[in-house]
Amino acid sequence: MHSVQEAEEIIFNLIEPFNHQTDTETVDLLNANGRILAAPIISQLDFPHWDNSAMDGFALRYCDLSEYVEGKGIFLEIVEEIPAGYQPQSTIQSGQAARIFTGAVMPSGADTVVMQENTRREGNRVFITAKPKPEEFVRKRASYYQAGEELLSAGIILKPTEIAVLAAAQCTQVEVFRRPRVAILSTGNELITPEQILKPGQIVDSNQYALSALIKEMGAEPLILGIIPDEATVLKKAISHAIANADIVISSGGVSVGEYDYVEKIIKSLGGKIHVSSIAVKPGKPLTVAKFSHFSNHILNCMYFGLPGNPVSALVTFWRFVQPGIKKLSGIKDNWQPEFLQVITSQDLRSNGKRETYLWGELILKDEIYQFQLAGGSHSSGNLINITGINALACLPVGKSLISAGEKVKVLQIS
Ligand code: AMP
Ligand code: MG
């Protein structure tokens, strides 16, 4: 049995991120939100593209104000009006100024803008009533970004702010990593679909639905393979199909030590290498992780996660080990690892101290400080009723059997 730290090191080291050449596709900018940039963006445009005014006011030569006396002011002649989007025609000479508006291009010769509020216009002359600072209210060309430098780096997630920058840089087609393909299958003779009539002893397959929603939420593509009975030949066929058609396979059930738990044997018989078969974690001890590097004469790079069948165990192991693995595979450069926060718990948190224990609940804001509120009801791995509304897992390390209300606890935020 591996500790959580050992298991996560093994698992995350096994995952090779997508290839920058072969695992990419091009998308329109309007469809790029949430996608991961596969190649750096280098723009040939400077930002700002040209010196421009940050204010409505008058563009002038700072040196013309050397005669300026406080309380007396100074007159300049207005030689041009420059609205935004217009190319200035004149060069500002000594004693001259141009009427200018926010965002408009600075005329040559001028180096400073005096804001409108510090001026008074009299016909074709402007009276300056307060002296600006040198180069005030001029946004200098390339002061934000210089053409040819890296504008956005590969491996970032494109969000609305990056989309705005790409649009400004006139990148309307973006090279992103393809979406990971994730096969999902549920194993168990007792399972039925939500549409079937429930007979005594049967269980509705909720894992397939939860996992498929999680995969879609991550921007990956689920390949839903349905319920597979605990029969070695049928299961072997289903797993063969899954590994041949997906980057990641997630099964649930069939990884414990019972007579009907075939998953590990089948993985081995298909040439998969088991790297983890149990972890000192609660819930989720039987999590099984394998890698397929080849299958029927083909080179593969397929990770297999055999999650425990209990709905909460399946979810906890997904959040803790599978989700970061999929993020790493998908090409995200930074922050694909699970991120923990330190918060105060509002209830006592208990475990038997033998395995790293995860308790589910809610991060709530109280007096502007986040607190962890334990979900009410049974914290049994088979109880999926009290997992509704949760957004966090509190982590009790091995050896810690109690974290008292008011103390700090490490919490994993979940979607
Ligand atoms: P197993 O890991 O196959 O021993 O299953 C453990 C428990 O989880 C059993 O009570 C199963 O009936 C239940 N279970 C297994 N798979 C699912 C599933 N897909 N959806 C809901 N419950 C499941
Ligand atoms: Mg089972």
Side-chain angles (χ1 to χ4, degrees):
M1 184 148 62
H2 292 286
S3 71
V4 168
Q5 280 64 36
E6 287 164 357
E8 80 172 339
E9 201 178 321
I10 294 170
I11 294 167
F12 298 156
N13 278 337
L14 283 169
I15 292 178
E16 291 165 40
F18 275 157
N19 183 291
H20 286 264
Q21 255 96 48
T22 51
D23 293 312
T24 64
E25 61 192 25
T26 304
V27 291
D28 288 343
L29 192 50
L30 283 174
N31 294 317
N33 194 30
R35 303 301 301 268
I36 298 144
L37 200 58
I41 301 286
I42 294 159
S43 179
Q44 296 314 319
L45 290 171
D46 288 324
F47 283 82
H49 312 320
W50 29 75
D51 291 357
N52 70 89
S53 174
M55 283 284 170
D56 291 335
F58 292 85
L60 48 80
R61 295 150 44 103
Y62 185 78
C63 62
D64 281 358
L65 304 179
S66 57
E67 308 283 289
Y68 180 94
V69 178
E70 199 66 50
K72 256 184 91 188
I74 202 167
F75 274 107
L76 297 171
E77 181 199 358
I78 303 167
V79 292
E80 192 173 9
E81 178 158 319
I82 311 167
Y86 170 85
Q87 173 73 47
Q89 302 298 310
S90 49
T91 297
I92 304 300
Q93 313 283 349
S94 178
Q96 296 182 336
R99 175 72 169 125
I100 197 161
F101 298 91
T102 306
V105 178
M106 287 290 285
S108 57
D111 56 18
T112 300
V113 171
V114 57
M115 65 198 282
Q116 189 173 312
E117 290 82 343
N118 292 340
T119 63
R120 196 174 65 241
R121 189 171 178 158
E122 291 179 12
N124 68 343
R125 293 196 311 166
V126 59
F127 186 64
I128 314 294
T129 56
K131 193 177 177 180
K133 298 192 192 89
E135 302 194 349
E136 195 168 23
F137 300 129
V138 177
R139 303 173 181 143
K140 299 288 278 183
R141 175 175 184 161
S143 59
Y144 305 158
Y145 165 82
Q146 214 151 25
E149 286 180 352
E150 190 173 274
L151 182 63
L152 296 174
S153 49
I156 61 161
I157 305 174
L158 298 175
K159 301 209 174 119
T161 47
E162 287 76 27
I163 305 265
V165 170
L166 287 167
Q170 301 187 303
C171 300
T172 53
Q173 300 278 304
V174 200
E175 205 180 339
V176 296
F177 287 113
R178 66 179 176 86
R179 298 179 187 279
R181 273 189 301 271
V182 183
I184 304 169
L185 53 110
S186 295
T187 73
N189 289 334
E190 74 283 22
L191 300 179
I192 59 161
T193 68
E195 296 83 19
Q196 289 173 308
I197 294 165
L198 189 65
K199 297 199 197 112
Q202 291 184 321
I203 285 180
V204 179
D205 170 20
S206 57
N207 289 348
Q208 186 115 218
Y209 285 80
L211 291 169
S212 158
L214 285 161
I215 293 304
K216 281 191 190 162
E217 205 171 63
M218 293 186 69
E221 238 173 60
L223 174 64
I224 298 169
L225 298 182
I227 297 169
I228 317 296
D230 296 314
E231 284 170 36
T233 47
V234 189
L235 196 52
K236 191 165 177 171
K237 211 171 143 203
I239 294 179
S240 305
H241 177 75
I243 58 174
N245 288 285
D247 303 298
I248 291 199
V249 178
I250 304 177
S251 65
S252 66
V255 285
S256 302
V257 291
E259 268 90 277
Y260 298 98
D261 296 328
Y262 292 116
V263 170
E264 197 169 321
K265 276 183 230 126
I266 291 172
I267 291 172
K268 284 182 187 155
S269 77
L270 289 171
K273 184 165 179 340
I274 308 273
H275 291 270
V276 173
S277 55
S278 72
I279 305 179
V281 65
K282 190 176 186 298
K285 184 172 138 206
L287 177 70
T288 297
V289 183
K291 185 161 185 173
F292 285 90
S293 306
H294 55 85
F295 178 63
S296 71
N297 298 329
H298 288 292
I299 305 279
L300 279 193
N301 189 10
C302 178
M303 288 291 294
Y304 191 104
F305 291 92
L307 312 188
N310 269 318
V312 182
S313 312
L315 285 173
V316 170
T317 48
F318 181 89
W319 283 314
R320 185 65 183 82
F321 301 103
V322 186
Q323 193 168 50
I326 297 177
K327 283 189 190 168
K328 182 177 180 193
L329 170 80
S330 69
I332 296 177
K333 196 178 52 170
D334 300 314
N335 303 330
W336 53 262
Q337 292 94 340
E339 283 179 346
F340 288 91
L341 312 173
Q342 291 273 355
V343 298
I344 303 288
T345 175
S346 53
Q347 282 96 15
D348 288 352
L349 304 175
R350 290 174 196 281
S351 86
N352 66 12
K354 291 190 183 129
R355 288 184 264 154
E356 188 164 305
T357 299
Y358 288 83
L359 298 170
W360 43 102
E362 220 182 324
L363 273 181
I364 53 161
L365 259 182
K366 208 166 172 191
D367 303 328
E368 298 183 352
I369 291 174
Y370 273 116
Q371 291 197 355
F372 178 78
Q373 193 166 63
L374 191 66
S378 162
H379 278 248
S380 147
S381 56
N383 177 14
L384 55 65
I385 300 305
N386 75 341
I387 60 174
T388 57
I390 64 165
N391 63 8
L393 299 174
C395 173
L396 278 78
V398 176
K400 187 102 181 155
S401 51
L402 169 68
I403 298 179
S404 302
E407 284 183 352
K408 275 194 175 167
V409 63
K410 209 172 82 165
V411 157
L412 182 69
Q413 259 186 298
I414 53 172
S415 53

PDB file of all heavy atoms in Angstrom, residues 234-256:
ATOM      1  N   VAL A 234     -16.374 -10.271 -21.102  1.00  0.00           N
ATOM      2  CA  VAL A 234     -17.047  -9.022 -21.533  1.00  0.00           C
ATOM      3  C   VAL A 234     -16.224  -7.815 -21.085  1.00  0.00           C
ATOM      4  O   VAL A 234     -16.022  -6.849 -21.825  1.00  0.00           O
ATOM      5  CB  VAL A 234     -18.473  -8.942 -20.921  1.00  0.00           C
ATOM      6  CG1 VAL A 234     -19.244  -7.781 -21.526  1.00  0.00           C
ATOM      7  CG2 VAL A 234     -19.224 -10.238 -21.113  1.00  0.00           C
ATOM      8  N   LEU A 235     -15.733  -7.890 -19.863  1.00  0.00           N
ATOM      9  CA  LEU A 235     -14.946  -6.786 -19.304  1.00  0.00           C
ATOM     10  C   LEU A 235     -13.650  -6.593 -20.105  1.00  0.00           C
ATOM     11  O   LEU A 235     -13.239  -5.458 -20.393  1.00  0.00           O
ATOM     12  CB  LEU A 235     -14.656  -7.104 -17.835  1.00  0.00           C
ATOM     13  CG  LEU A 235     -14.197  -5.955 -16.961  1.00  0.00           C
ATOM     14  CD1 LEU A 235     -15.109  -4.745 -17.039  1.00  0.00           C
ATOM     15  CD2 LEU A 235     -14.131  -6.432 -15.490  1.00  0.00           C
ATOM     16  N   LYS A 236     -13.056  -7.715 -20.485  1.00  0.00           N
ATOM     17  CA  LYS A 236     -11.797  -7.635 -21.247  1.00  0.00           C
ATOM     18  C   LYS A 236     -12.038  -6.944 -22.588  1.00  0.00           C
ATOM     19  O   LYS A 236     -11.241  -6.102 -23.023  1.00  0.00           O
ATOM     20  CB  LYS A 236     -11.275  -9.054 -21.474  1.00  0.00           C
ATOM     21  CG  LYS A 236      -9.877  -9.119 -22.017  1.00  0.00           C
ATOM     22  CD  LYS A 236      -9.295 -10.501 -21.879  1.00  0.00           C
ATOM     23  CE  LYS A 236      -7.920 -10.557 -22.493  1.00  0.00           C
ATOM     24  NZ  LYS A 236      -7.233 -11.804 -22.214  1.00  0.00           N
ATOM     25  N   LYS A 237     -13.145  -7.287 -23.207  1.00  0.00           N
ATOM     26  CA  LYS A 237     -13.480  -6.665 -24.501  1.00  0.00           C
ATOM     27  C   LYS A 237     -13.704  -5.153 -24.330  1.00  0.00           C
ATOM     28  O   LYS A 237     -13.205  -4.343 -25.123  1.00  0.00           O
ATOM     29  CB  LYS A 237     -14.761  -7.319 -25.050  1.00  0.00           C
ATOM     30  CG  LYS A 237     -14.805  -7.346 -26.538  1.00  0.00           C
ATOM     31  CD  LYS A 237     -15.948  -8.180 -27.043  1.00  0.00           C
ATOM     32  CE  LYS A 237     -16.515  -7.491 -28.290  1.00  0.00           C
ATOM     33  NZ  LYS A 237     -17.868  -7.839 -28.577  1.00  0.00           N
ATOM     34  N   ALA A 238     -14.416  -4.797 -23.274  1.00  0.00           N
ATOM     35  CA  ALA A 238     -14.730  -3.378 -23.042  1.00  0.00           C
ATOM     36  C   ALA A 238     -13.452  -2.593 -22.741  1.00  0.00           C
ATOM     37  O   ALA A 238     -13.248  -1.486 -23.260  1.00  0.00           O
ATOM     38  CB  ALA A 238     -15.717  -3.243 -21.895  1.00  0.00           C
ATOM     39  N   ILE A 239     -12.583  -3.148 -21.920  1.00  0.00           N
ATOM     40  CA  ILE A 239     -11.342  -2.433 -21.561  1.00  0.00           C
ATOM     41  C   ILE A 239     -10.433  -2.325 -22.789  1.00  0.00           C
ATOM     42  O   ILE A 239      -9.801  -1.283 -23.028  1.00  0.00           O
ATOM     43  CB  ILE A 239     -10.639  -3.096 -20.351  1.00  0.00           C
ATOM     44  CG1 ILE A 239     -11.532  -2.938 -19.102  1.00  0.00           C
ATOM     45  CG2 ILE A 239      -9.251  -2.507 -20.111  1.00  0.00           C
ATOM     46  CD1 ILE A 239     -11.005  -3.560 -17.835  1.00  0.00           C
ATOM     47  N   SER A 240     -10.403  -3.393 -23.620  1.00  0.00           N
ATOM     48  CA  SER A 240      -9.596  -3.335 -24.856  1.00  0.00           C
ATOM     49  C   SER A 240     -10.072  -2.184 -25.719  1.00  0.00           C
ATOM     50  O   SER A 240      -9.264  -1.398 -26.245  1.00  0.00           O
ATOM     51  CB  SER A 240      -9.750  -4.619 -25.682  1.00  0.00           C
ATOM     52  OG  SER A 240      -9.444  -5.726 -24.914  1.00  0.00           O
ATOM     53  N   HIS A 241     -11.388  -2.082 -25.874  1.00  0.00           N
ATOM     54  CA  HIS A 241     -11.950  -1.005 -26.696  1.00  0.00           C
ATOM     55  C   HIS A 241     -11.578   0.369 -26.103  1.00  0.00           C
ATOM     56  O   HIS A 241     -11.189   1.283 -26.826  1.00  0.00           O
ATOM     57  CB  HIS A 241     -13.476  -1.162 -26.765  1.00  0.00           C
ATOM     58  CG  HIS A 241     -14.139  -0.065 -27.527  1.00  0.00           C
ATOM     59  ND1 HIS A 241     -14.089   0.017 -28.909  1.00  0.00           N
ATOM     60  CD2 HIS A 241     -14.847   1.015 -27.118  1.00  0.00           C
ATOM     61  CE1 HIS A 241     -14.735   1.103 -29.300  1.00  0.00           C
ATOM     62  NE2 HIS A 241     -15.210   1.729 -28.243  1.00  0.00           N
ATOM     63  N   ALA A 242     -11.672   0.441 -24.767  1.00  0.00           N
ATOM     64  CA  ALA A 242     -11.401   1.718 -24.097  1.00  0.00           C
ATOM     65  C   ALA A 242      -9.945   2.139 -24.295  1.00  0.00           C
ATOM     66  O   ALA A 242      -9.679   3.283 -24.685  1.00  0.00           O
ATOM     67  CB  ALA A 242     -11.721   1.604 -22.609  1.00  0.00           C
ATOM     68  N   ILE A 243      -9.011   1.245 -24.055  1.00  0.00           N
ATOM     69  CA  ILE A 243      -7.598   1.662 -24.141  1.00  0.00           C
ATOM     70  C   ILE A 243      -7.189   1.979 -25.576  1.00  0.00           C
ATOM     71  O   ILE A 243      -6.321   2.808 -25.819  1.00  0.00           O
ATOM     72  CB  ILE A 243      -6.608   0.650 -23.496  1.00  0.00           C
ATOM     73  CG1 ILE A 243      -6.748  -0.712 -24.140  1.00  0.00           C
ATOM     74  CG2 ILE A 243      -6.788   0.595 -21.988  1.00  0.00           C
ATOM     75  CD1 ILE A 243      -5.708  -1.705 -23.649  1.00  0.00           C
ATOM     76  N   ALA A 244      -7.871   1.344 -26.545  1.00  0.00           N
ATOM     77  CA  ALA A 244      -7.522   1.612 -27.947  1.00  0.00           C
ATOM     78  C   ALA A 244      -8.100   2.947 -28.425  1.00  0.00           C
ATOM     79  O   ALA A 244      -7.705   3.448 -29.465  1.00  0.00           O
ATOM     80  CB  ALA A 244      -8.012   0.476 -28.827  1.00  0.00           C
ATOM     81  N   ASN A 245      -9.040   3.503 -27.683  1.00  0.00           N
ATOM     82  CA  ASN A 245      -9.746   4.699 -28.183  1.00  0.00           C
ATOM     83  C   ASN A 245      -9.676   5.912 -27.277  1.00  0.00           C
ATOM     84  O   ASN A 245     -10.361   6.904 -27.538  1.00  0.00           O
ATOM     85  CB  ASN A 245     -11.225   4.352 -28.424  1.00  0.00           C
ATOM     86  CG  ASN A 245     -11.391   3.461 -29.625  1.00  0.00           C
ATOM     87  OD1 ASN A 245     -11.283   3.912 -30.749  1.00  0.00           O
ATOM     88  ND2 ASN A 245     -11.585   2.178 -29.366  1.00  0.00           N
ATOM     89  N   ALA A 246      -8.883   5.842 -26.213  1.00  0.00           N
ATOM     90  CA  ALA A 246      -8.861   6.981 -25.287  1.00  0.00           C
ATOM     91  C   ALA A 246      -7.445   7.245 -24.785  1.00  0.00           C
ATOM     92  O   ALA A 246      -6.570   6.385 -24.860  1.00  0.00           O
ATOM     93  CB  ALA A 246      -9.790   6.708 -24.113  1.00  0.00           C
ATOM     94  N   ASP A 247      -7.227   8.458 -24.297  1.00  0.00           N
ATOM     95  CA  ASP A 247      -5.949   8.798 -23.653  1.00  0.00           C
ATOM     96  C   ASP A 247      -5.953   8.315 -22.210  1.00  0.00           C
ATOM     97  O   ASP A 247      -4.924   7.980 -21.644  1.00  0.00           O
ATOM     98  CB  ASP A 247      -5.761  10.323 -23.637  1.00  0.00           C
ATOM     99  CG  ASP A 247      -5.830  10.920 -25.023  1.00  0.00           C
ATOM    100  OD1 ASP A 247      -4.969  10.552 -25.843  1.00  0.00           O
ATOM    101  OD2 ASP A 247      -6.744  11.734 -25.284  1.00  0.00           O
ATOM    102  N   ILE A 248      -7.165   8.343 -21.625  1.00  0.00           N
ATOM    103  CA  ILE A 248      -7.310   7.954 -20.223  1.00  0.00           C
ATOM    104  C   ILE A 248      -8.555   7.084 -20.115  1.00  0.00           C
ATOM    105  O   ILE A 248      -9.588   7.382 -20.750  1.00  0.00           O
ATOM    106  CB  ILE A 248      -7.438   9.214 -19.335  1.00  0.00           C
ATOM    107  CG1 ILE A 248      -6.101   9.945 -19.327  1.00  0.00           C
ATOM    108  CG2 ILE A 248      -7.948   8.879 -17.938  1.00  0.00           C
ATOM    109  CD1 ILE A 248      -5.846  10.908 -18.226  1.00  0.00           C
ATOM    110  N   VAL A 249      -8.452   6.018 -19.347  1.00  0.00           N
ATOM    111  CA  VAL A 249      -9.629   5.170 -19.095  1.00  0.00           C
ATOM    112  C   VAL A 249      -9.945   5.246 -17.610  1.00  0.00           C
ATOM    113  O   VAL A 249      -9.053   5.131 -16.768  1.00  0.00           O
ATOM    114  CB  VAL A 249      -9.363   3.711 -19.509  1.00  0.00           C
ATOM    115  CG1 VAL A 249     -10.583   2.828 -19.196  1.00  0.00           C
ATOM    116  CG2 VAL A 249      -8.995   3.631 -20.982  1.00  0.00           C
ATOM    117  N   ILE A 250     -11.216   5.482 -17.332  1.00  0.00           N
ATOM    118  CA  ILE A 250     -11.651   5.481 -15.931  1.00  0.00           C
ATOM    119  C   ILE A 250     -12.751   4.429 -15.803  1.00  0.00           C
ATOM    120  O   ILE A 250     -13.804   4.537 -16.445  1.00  0.00           O
ATOM    121  CB  ILE A 250     -12.233   6.852 -15.509  1.00  0.00           C
ATOM    122  CG1 ILE A 250     -11.238   7.975 -15.765  1.00  0.00           C
ATOM    123  CG2 ILE A 250     -12.637   6.818 -14.054  1.00  0.00           C
ATOM    124  CD1 ILE A 250     -11.786   9.370 -15.444  1.00  0.00           C
ATOM    125  N   SER A 251     -12.470   3.405 -14.984  1.00  0.00           N
ATOM    126  CA  SER A 251     -13.547   2.470 -14.677  1.00  0.00           C
ATOM    127  C   SER A 251     -13.891   2.672 -13.220  1.00  0.00           C
ATOM    128  O   SER A 251     -13.096   3.196 -12.443  1.00  0.00           O
ATOM    129  CB  SER A 251     -13.119   1.023 -14.944  1.00  0.00           C
ATOM    130  OG  SER A 251     -12.077   0.635 -14.075  1.00  0.00           O
ATOM    131  N   SER A 252     -15.113   2.277 -12.844  1.00  0.00           N
ATOM    132  CA  SER A 252     -15.405   2.276 -11.411  1.00  0.00           C
ATOM    133  C   SER A 252     -15.921   0.906 -11.026  1.00  0.00           C
ATOM    134  O   SER A 252     -16.598   0.242 -11.809  1.00  0.00           O
ATOM    135  CB  SER A 252     -16.393   3.378 -11.035  1.00  0.00           C
ATOM    136  OG  SER A 252     -17.648   3.140 -11.598  1.00  0.00           O
ATOM    137  N   GLY A 253     -15.545   0.488  -9.833  1.00  0.00           N
ATOM    138  CA  GLY A 253     -15.936  -0.830  -9.314  1.00  0.00           C
ATOM    139  C   GLY A 253     -14.935  -1.900  -9.724  1.00  0.00           C
ATOM    140  O   GLY A 253     -14.084  -1.700 -10.593  1.00  0.00           O
ATOM    141  N   GLY A 254     -15.030  -3.022  -9.029  1.00  0.00           N
ATOM    142  CA  GLY A 254     -14.248  -4.192  -9.429  1.00  0.00           C
ATOM    143  C   GLY A 254     -12.768  -4.123  -9.124  1.00  0.00           C
ATOM    144  O   GLY A 254     -11.983  -4.879  -9.694  1.00  0.00           O
ATOM    145  N   VAL A 255     -12.365  -3.232  -8.204  1.00  0.00           N
ATOM    146  CA  VAL A 255     -10.928  -3.163  -7.878  1.00  0.00           C
ATOM    147  C   VAL A 255     -10.631  -3.587  -6.438  1.00  0.00           C
ATOM    148  O   VAL A 255      -9.506  -3.461  -5.968  1.00  0.00           O
ATOM    149  CB  VAL A 255     -10.331  -1.751  -8.145  1.00  0.00           C
ATOM    150  CG1 VAL A 255     -10.150  -1.505  -9.627  1.00  0.00           C
ATOM    151  CG2 VAL A 255     -11.172  -0.657  -7.511  1.00  0.00           C
ATOM    152  N   SER A 256     -11.671  -4.082  -5.737  1.00  0.00           N
ATOM    153  CA  SER A 256     -11.411  -4.541  -4.366  1.00  0.00           C
ATOM    154  C   SER A 256     -10.890  -5.980  -4.410  1.00  0.00           C
ATOM    155  O   SER A 256     -10.391  -6.423  -5.445  1.00  0.00           O
ATOM    156  CB  SER A 256     -12.705  -4.461  -3.548  1.00  0.00           C
ATOM    157  OG  SER A 256     -13.175  -3.143  -3.553  1.00  0.00           O
TER     158      SER A 256
END
